[in-house]
Each structure stands twice: as structure tokens, then as C-alpha cells.
Amino acid sequence: MGRVSDRVCIVTGAAQGIGRAIGEALLDEGARVCFADINGAKVGEVAEANRTRLNGRGGAVSSAQVDVTDRAQVRAMIAQTAETFGRVDVMFNNAGVNKPMNFMDVTEENWNFIMGVNGLGCMIGMQEAARQMITQDRGDDGLRGKIVNTASVASRQGFDNVAPYCASKFAVVSLTQSGARDLAKHDITVTGFAPGVVATEMWEQVDQDLMNIGAANRPGQAMEEFSAEILRGRVAGPGDITGTTTFLASRDSDYMTGQIVMIDGGMTLV
Ligand code: NAD
């Protein structure tokens, strides 16, 4: 028995990095998990690898190709999951993108791309998950469902060269607060978590992008500089995040709503 035995969870952005780790940690504690991503082929492989790993110890796996900015696709993913597993207990709005640019060079295209996935994608995911949850019975915890959003240290401070990303992650915080207030009457909670620097493919790309725009001279420099103040003395791996994400999906967090949990090794004390 795990903390999330039999709970039905959807994780977006689950083809790699933090999203994949969230899904796998949920599976390790008995959940039924839909791994969802815009990269359908890759997320299908992730689901398949995990189906093999399950090996009769409970839990279940499915996968979905979804662009979180496309409401019809998000709706279809949620309907498919509810049909397969009977309900949706937890929705992780985790898919996110970044594309660093010097502040004065930021274009409408850069802004719309990042705000589209990180901001609008989060809102659509919240709305459509809630629409499903509202139709469901309350569980024995008295809740119809939980929504968990991925914020960031970039939702606490504006950093240079990533202005639209920071704006989009501030948006995730306010959506979490607004959603918590609005959905409380339906017995749905909304929380979020805020990683600091996590070694994933996203950071590899960000490191490269920062060199391309002249903000760093060598590979790894940006990550080193960005993480110099981490009190725990190192960057995170996805595994540093998942104890908390499984907690947020579990009944142990039932009385929390509207809050963002910082998981940044003490990088920002706000
Ligand atoms: P990643 O780039 O490794 O993975 C992101 C995944 O999201 C990819 O598989 C990608 O295909 C998917 N995706 C992108 N656009 C999508 C869309 N429109 N629809 C569906 N899926 C889409 O990133 P990561 O480091 O694992 O980050 C996951 C989340 O954590 C993001 O929201 C990110 O902003 C946030 N975050 C990351 C860090 C970090 O240091 N890595 C820190 C704070 C917050």
C-alpha cells in the first residue's frame, strides 16, 4: 500500500524530466497514472517502460498525446482517462517551456509561446480537470479531486534573460490561488510546487540558449551561477521533487489549498 494507492492521476509534460519522475513516483505508490505529453511517441515509450516495471504490484498506466494549449485535446485526454480508470483524482499541470532572450530582445512570439504553454495551458488543464471532477462523487476524503500546478523559483522573483518565463510562472501562482478560491465550493483543492534548479533536459537547452544570446561563455556556467546561492549546496534531480509531489496527490495534503510548496534547496526564502 502506498500513499496514493489506486488514485487516478494525470501528469502532463511526462515524456521526460520532472513530469516523468512525478508519474513514476506515483506508480511506485500504487497510483493509476496517465503519462501525457505533446511528444506522443516518447510518452508512449515512457508508459510502456513503466507498464513493464509494474510487474503485478498494483497501479496501472496509460498515455496520451496532448498539447496543453489545445482545449479539445485536453478535454479528450481527461475523458479518455476517466473512461479507462473510472475517474480523475489528481491533475498535475506540469508541462512547461522556456526560451531565454535578453529582456530588450523579447518578442511577441517568444512571449506568446511561453505564456501559451505555461500560463494558458495551466488554466485550461485546471478548468477541464475541474469540469470532470465536478461530475464525480466525493471520495472518502470528502474531496472530488485535486489539481497540482508546477510553479518555479521564477514565480517568486523576476530573473534576467527569462522575463516571459518568470511572468508565466507568476501566473501559475495566481491561477493556483484563484482556482483554489473558485473550486473550493466543489470540494476540489488546488496546490502547486516550486522547484529551484533541477537537472533535466530543459536546463540543458536553457544552458545552450543562454550561451547563444551571450549570457554565458561556456557550457554549465549559467547553471553554476544560477545555483550558487542554494543553501543545500547542489542542484536538484527530479527525485528530489517527487516526495513532495506524491504528498500533494495524497490524502496527507487534504487540508491544503491555494498554496505553493517551495522545493528549491533554500534558493529563495520567500
Ligand atoms: P522538460 O523540458 O525536461 O520537460 C517538459 C516536457 O513538457 C517535455 O516532455 C515536453 O515535450 C512537454 N511539453 C512542452 N510543451 C508541451 C505542450 N504544449 N503540451 C504538452 N506537453 C508539452 O522540463 P522539466 O525540467 O521537466 O520541467 C517540467 C516543469 O517544471 C515545467 O513546468 C518547468 O517550467 C518546471 N520547472 C523546471 C525547473 C528546472 O530546473 N528544470 C525548475 C522550476 C520549474
Side-chain angles (χ1 to χ4, degrees):
M1 288 291 280
R3 285 178 289 171
V4 287
S5 281
D6 286 331
R7 289 180 86 99
V8 179
C9 308
I10 298 174
V11 186
T12 67
Q16 61 185 37
I18 295 171
R20 177 177 182 162
I22 292 170
E24 292 181 343
L26 292 166
L27 275 182
D28 284 343
E29 298 207 38
R32 294 176 281 172
V33 181
C34 173
F35 291 77
D37 201 282
I38 198 168
N39 188 337
K42 192 169 179 187
V43 83
E45 286 167 22
V46 167
E48 198 45 51
N50 277 289
R51 200 167 286 121
T52 313
R53 230 165 54 101
L54 275 181
N55 203 15
R57 63 181 161 83
V61 179
S62 69
S63 67
Q65 176 165 18
V66 69
D67 177 348
V68 297
T69 67
D70 184 320
R71 190 179 292 278
Q73 289 185 28
V74 172
R75 209 173 266 177
M77 167 189 72
I78 291 168
Q80 176 205 308
T81 307
E83 200 180 305
T84 306
F85 296 132
R87 57 189 285 127
V88 175
D89 294 301
V90 188
M91 173 73 168
F92 280 92
N93 293 303
N94 170 75
V97 293
N98 195 0
K99 187 75 188 162
M101 297 189 90
N102 297 135
F103 184 82
M104 294 300 284
D105 295 333
V106 171
T107 58
E108 287 81 344
E109 188 189 9
N110 179 258
W111 170 271
N112 288 336
F113 169 59
I114 295 168
M115 287 299 284
V117 178
N118 301 0
L120 179 64
C122 179
M123 188 188 73
I124 290 175
M126 292 172 69
Q127 290 173 317
E128 296 305 325
R131 236 182 278 288
Q132 164 62 32
M133 289 167 182
I134 287 166
T135 69
Q136 301 175 172
D137 292 341
R138 288 180 193 79
D140 52 9
D141 52 1
L143 292 177
R144 289 197 164 89
K146 295 182 177 218
I147 295 170
V148 185
N149 299 326
T150 303
S152 168
V153 284
S155 53
R156 295 297 190 206
Q157 290 175 22
F159 295 94
D160 51 353
N161 298 313
V162 285
Y165 182 77
C166 295
S168 73
K169 290 297 181 178
F170 271 69
V172 170
V173 175
S174 69
L175 286 168
T176 302
Q177 295 176 354
S178 299
R181 289 192 198 281
D182 221 76
L183 298 173
K185 59 181 168 291
H186 299 295
D187 297 310
I188 295 168
T189 64
V190 188
T191 58
F193 63 95
V197 181
V198 189
T200 64
E201 286 91 335
M202 176 181 271
W203 248 105
E204 286 167 25
Q205 187 59 48
V206 165
D207 211 59
Q208 184 61 51
D209 291 338
L210 288 169
M211 283 196 293
N212 293 345
I213 63 169
N217 300 317
R218 58 174 170 80
Q221 181 191 344
M223 198 187 212
E224 269 166 43
E225 289 175 0
F226 205 71
S227 39
E229 306 289 313
I230 297 175
L231 297 181
R232 290 283 286 107
R234 62 172 177 81
V235 303
D240 289 309
I241 308 301
T242 53
T244 304
T245 52
T246 300
F247 161 72
L248 291 174
S250 78
R251 291 198 51 183
D252 291 343
S253 59
D254 278 359
Y255 198 61
M256 290 174 66
T257 194
Q259 297 294 334
I260 303 288
V261 182
M262 302 300 296
I263 323 171
D264 66 349
M267 190 174 165
T268 47
L269 302 184
V270 286

